[in-house]
C-alpha cells in the first residue's frame, strides 16, 4: 500500500507542499511494523529525523569530536566554533537580539527547572504568586510547586473550558500585582490547543510579572519570534523539532539572565576558582556547567536549518488539512469522543472510543503498524478535568499523509470490532 494517496496528490497540487518528496528525507518512515507500513503518529512525543540530521551526528564523531572551550588544539577549536555557531543559528531562528540570550539545556524540562530554581529561589517570597494554566505538562507544574514549597510563594492556575481553551476572563482576574511570573505553554501537548499567549503576556506586563513560555509543542509546527512575543523566557526541546534528544534551549532576556544566580556549579561556568571565592563566567556559560551535549547542540542547529528552509505557509495549510481530514474520518466511527476542540489547534487529536480502554486500542493500532500515544501525556490535571484516565493521541507532522490517516481509521474500525 502506498502511503501517498490520491488525496495526498491533490494536496501536493493545491498547497505546493510535496509530501512525497519530503518523506524521502526521513529514512525511518520507510519500514514495516508488524507487516504493515509504519504510520508514525507519535510526533508530539518526539519527531523523526531527516537524513541531514542523522549525517551531522556521524560527521561530528568521524571528523571533529573534541571537548570545547578548553582546548588549544585543532579539533577542539573546530568543535568550539561549531558549538558557538549553533548558538548563533538558534539566536537567528528565534530572532533573539543577542547570542548570549541563548542557553543550551537538556531540553524543555531543564529550561523550566533552570528558571524556577535560579530566578525563582532568588526572587520569590512568601505570598508572591506564580501563575500557570490547567493544561500544563508536568514539566511546567512540578518545578514551580517545588519552588513554591521552598519560598512560600503560591501557585495559581488559569482554568480551561470543555473545548480545552484557557478561560481568559479568569486569567485576567488571576494575574494581579501579586503575580511575579506567568509560566504557560504555547501549545498543549495533550489537546493541541494553541494558547493566546500574546494576550497572556500582555496581562502579565500590566502587573510587571515575568513570562515564561513552554514552546515544546509550538516549535514543531510554526515559527516563533521571541522579540515580537516580548516574553522574558522561551524554552523548547530539539527532539520535537527534528533534532536529537537530550538537548534544548532556554531563551532569556539578557538583563534577566545576567541578574540570575547560576543553578549548577562546575567546569566551564567559572571565571576564577579559589578556595576562598569563585567568580562566575558571563551568560550564557554561567548556566552551562560541565561538558555540554556538544554534538547535540551542533546537530540541533542542523535540524533548525532544515526546518527553516521549508515553506511554512504550505506546511501550515497541509497540517490543517490533515487535521480536518482526520477529524472528519474519526467522527464517522461510532462512540468517538474528542478531547480538545479548541478553535486554534496544531494537528493533534486526542480521543477515546466509548467503552474501550485506550491502551487496548493503542495495542491493536500498533499491531497494524500505527504508532499513537495512549495515557495521560504527562498532563494528569487535564485528564482529571475531563474525568478520564487518559486518551489516545494521534499527533501529526508535515511528513505524514492522508493515506496514513486512512490506515489508522481502518485499524480503529478493526479495534472496535475486536474489543466490543
Ligand atoms: N512541555 C510540553 C508541552 C511537552 O509536550 C513536553 C514533552 O512532551 C515537555 C514540556 C517536556 O519536554 P522534554 O521531555 O523534552 O524536556
Amino acid at each position: 500500500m502506498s502511503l501517498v494517496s490520491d488525496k495526498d496528490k491533490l494536496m501536493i497540487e493545491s498547497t505546493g507542499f510535496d509530501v512525497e518528496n519530503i518523506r524521502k528525507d526521513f529514512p525511518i518512515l520507510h519500514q514495516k511494523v508488524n507487516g504493515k507500513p509504519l504510520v508514525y503518529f507519535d510526533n508530539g512525543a518526539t519527531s523523526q529525523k531527516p537524513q541531514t540530521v542523522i549525517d551531522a551526528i556521524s560527521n561530528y564523531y568521524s571528523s571533529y569530536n573534541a571537548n570545547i572551550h578548553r582546548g588549544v588544539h585543532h579539533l577542539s577549536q573546530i568543535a568550539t566554533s561549531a558549538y558557538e555557531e549553533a548558538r548563533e543559528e538558534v539566536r537567528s531562528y528565534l530572532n533573539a537580539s543577542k547570542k548570549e540570550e541563548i542557553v543550551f539545556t537538556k531540553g524543555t524540562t531543564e529550561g523550566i527547572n533552570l528558571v524556577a530554581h535560579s530566578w525563582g529561589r532568588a526572587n520569590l517570597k512568601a505570598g508572591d504568586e506564580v501563575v500557570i494554566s490547567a493544561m500544563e505538562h508536568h514539566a511546567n507544574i512540578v518545578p514551580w510547586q517545588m519552588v513554591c514549597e521552598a519560598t512560600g510563594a503560591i501557585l495559581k492556575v488559569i482554568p480551561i473550558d470543555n473545548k480545552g481553551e484557557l478561560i481568559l476572563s479568569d486569567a485576567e482576574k488571576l494575574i494581579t500585582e501579586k503575580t511575579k511570573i506567568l509560566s504557560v505553554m504555547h501549545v498543549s501537548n495533550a489537546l493541541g490547543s494553541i494558547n493566546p499567549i500574546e494576550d497572556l503576556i500582555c496581562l502579565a506586563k500590566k502587573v510587571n510579572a515575568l513570562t515564561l513560555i513552554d514552546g515544546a509543542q509550538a516549535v514543531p509546527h510554526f515559527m516563533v519570534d521571541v522579540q515580537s512575543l516580548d516574553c522574558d523566557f522561551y524554552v523548547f526541546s530539539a527532539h520535537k523539532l527534528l533534532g536529537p534528544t537530550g538537548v534544548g534551549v532556554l531563551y532569556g532576556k539578557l538583563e534577566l539572565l545576567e541578574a540570575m544566580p547560576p543553578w549548577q556549579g562546575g567546569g566551564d561556568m567559572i571565571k576564577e576558582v579559589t578556595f576562598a571565592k569563585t567568580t562566575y563566567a558571563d551568560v550564557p556559560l554561567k548556566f552551562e556547567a560541565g561538558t555540554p551535549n556538544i554534538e547535540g547542540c551542533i546537530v540541533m542547529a542542523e535540524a533548525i536549518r532544515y526546518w527553516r528552509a521549508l515553506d511554512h505557509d504550505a506546511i501550515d495549510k497541509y497540517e490543517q488539512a490533515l487535521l480536518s481530514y482526520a477529524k472528519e474520518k474519526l467522527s464517522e466511527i461510532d462512540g468517538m469522543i474528542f478531547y480538545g476542540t479548541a478553535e486554534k489547534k496544531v494537528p493533534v487529536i486526542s480521543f477515546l472510543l466509548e467503552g474501550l480502554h485506550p491502551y487496548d486500542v493503542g495495542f491493536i493500532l500498533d499491531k497494524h503498524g500505527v504508532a499513537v500515544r495512549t495515557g495521560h501525556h504527562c498532563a494528569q490535571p487535564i485528564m482529571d478535568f475531563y474525568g478520564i484516565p487518559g486518551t489516545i493521541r494521534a499527533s501529526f507532522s508535515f511528513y505524514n499523509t492522508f493515506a496514513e490517516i486512512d490506515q489508522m481509521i481502518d485499524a480503529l474500525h478493526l479495534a472496535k470490532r475486536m474489543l466490543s
Side-chain angles (χ1 to χ4, degrees):
M1 170 188 171
S2 161
L3 285 184
V4 176
S5 64
D6 289 346
K7 176 116 184 121
D8 287 300
K9 298 216 162 91
L10 272 179
M11 281 311 295
I12 295 172
E13 265 171 41
S14 70
T15 60
F17 183 68
D18 190 349
V19 69
E20 198 162 15
N21 229 353
I22 286 281
R23 286 174 71 81
K24 291 186 190 142
D25 295 341
F26 293 83
I28 203 170
L29 298 177
H30 310 286
Q31 63 176 294
K32 290 196 166 175
V33 168
N34 293 319
K36 302 276 191 269
L38 165 68
V39 170
Y40 186 77
F41 285 165
D42 197 17
N43 296 289
T46 198
S47 71
Q48 296 303 350
K49 322 300 170 200
Q51 190 64 51
T52 51
V53 164
I54 300 166
D55 290 345
I57 300 173
S58 160
N59 185 34
Y60 171 79
Y61 282 111
S62 46
S63 315
Y64 59 100
N65 168 47
N67 212 330
I68 52 166
H69 293 149
R70 289 164 244 172
V72 287
H73 64 80
H74 178 71
L75 290 186
S76 176
Q77 285 180 15
I78 300 181
T80 304
S81 303
Y83 183 81
E84 290 304 330
E85 274 160 25
R87 203 187 301 278
E88 171 54 26
E89 178 66 34
V90 176
R91 183 211 63 73
S92 133
Y93 158 64
L94 288 177
N95 192 32
S97 59
K98 300 169 199 79
K99 205 172 132 187
E100 294 73 23
E101 297 182 318
I102 304 301
V103 179
F104 288 135
T105 64
K106 264 182 7 197
T108 307
T109 305
E110 191 177 69
I112 299 170
N113 272 279
L114 194 163
V115 176
H117 292 286
S118 165
W119 177 86
R121 282 173 193 262
N123 290 284
L124 292 172
K125 56 180 189 328
D128 287 345
E129 292 179 358
V130 173
V131 177
I132 60 169
S133 89
M135 64 169 83
E136 297 308 315
H137 187 282
H138 297 163
N140 199 24
I141 301 175
V142 186
W144 295 115
Q145 286 176 324
M146 291 160 77
V147 172
C148 283
E149 205 170 307
T151 60
I154 299 158
L155 194 65
K156 295 275 172 167
V157 182
I158 305 169
I160 56 172
D161 62 19
N162 254 326
K163 288 164 84 179
E165 290 181 344
L166 293 180
I167 305 177
L168 271 183
S169 53
D170 284 346
E172 272 170 41
K173 286 180 212 132
L174 278 171
I175 299 171
T176 69
E177 296 293 329
K178 289 185 183 166
T179 310
K180 296 298 167 228
I181 189 163
L182 166 75
S183 188
V184 284
M185 63 193 343
H186 201 162
V187 168
S188 159
N189 60 312
L191 307 175
S193 327
I194 303 176
N195 288 324
I197 55 159
E198 293 82 356
D199 296 342
L200 292 167
I201 291 169
C202 242
L203 289 176
K205 282 195 183 307
K206 278 191 193 150
V207 295
N208 290 324
L210 297 189
T211 48
L212 183 153
I213 308 299
D214 169 357
Q217 299 291 338
V219 294
H221 298 290
F222 48 83
M223 294 292 281
V224 167
D225 180 330
V226 291
Q227 288 194 73
S228 95
L229 282 177
D230 202 16
C231 55
D232 294 299
F233 302 104
Y234 196 96
V235 289
F236 70 89
S237 303
H239 70 99
K240 297 188 197 278
L241 177 62
L242 313 169
T245 52
V247 61
V249 168
L250 160 68
Y251 155 80
K253 284 190 178 158
L254 188 59
E255 61 279 16
L256 289 169
L257 291 177
E258 280 176 340
M260 281 159 53
W263 78 310
Q264 288 180 342
D268 238 23
M269 51 75 73
I270 53 94
K271 270 195 182 125
E272 211 172 313
V273 178
T274 66
F275 288 117
K277 185 173 166 57
T278 289
T279 50
Y280 304 125
D282 293 331
V283 290
L285 295 189
K286 181 171 75 173
F287 295 111
E288 294 178 8
T291 301
N293 186 348
I294 303 166
E295 80 282 12
C297 295
I298 294 169
V299 175
M300 165 168 63
E302 191 57 41
I304 288 173
R305 268 179 223 114
Y306 177 92
W307 171 241
R308 292 179 81 182
L310 299 173
D311 176 345
H312 292 275
D313 286 340
I315 285 186
D316 191 43
K317 283 194 197 105
Y318 182 75
E319 288 192 348
Q320 288 302 317
L322 284 176
L323 179 65
S324 328
Y325 183 72
K327 268 199 286 195
E328 182 193 318
K329 291 283 157 189
L330 286 168
S331 36
E332 288 167 6
I333 303 176
D334 266 358
M336 175 61 56
I337 311 165
F338 291 113
Y339 295 92
T341 50
E343 297 301 322
K344 288 194 176 163
K345 271 184 72 141
V346 298
V348 168
I349 303 197
S350 253
F351 61 93
L352 283 178
L353 285 168
E354 208 171 359
L356 304 188
H357 198 285
Y359 291 107
D360 296 338
V361 178
F363 183 78
I364 293 179
L365 289 184
D366 176 58
K367 291 284 156 260
H368 291 81
V370 182
V372 292
R373 185 138 296 237
T374 58
H376 55 61
H377 318 301
C378 294
Q380 279 180 341
I382 299 188
M383 303 302 141
D384 291 345
F385 171 78
Y386 287 115
I388 51 173
T391 68
I392 302 159
R393 182 188 70 183
S395 50
F396 310 128
S397 174
F398 58 90
Y399 47 66
N400 288 128
T401 67
F402 292 85
E404 289 181 310
I405 292 174
D406 289 339
Q407 187 175 324
M408 174 178 74
I409 298 291
D410 289 347
L412 281 170
H413 280 292
L414 202 85
K416 240 191 108 79
R417 283 200 297 279
M418 287 171 71
L419 297 170
S420 300

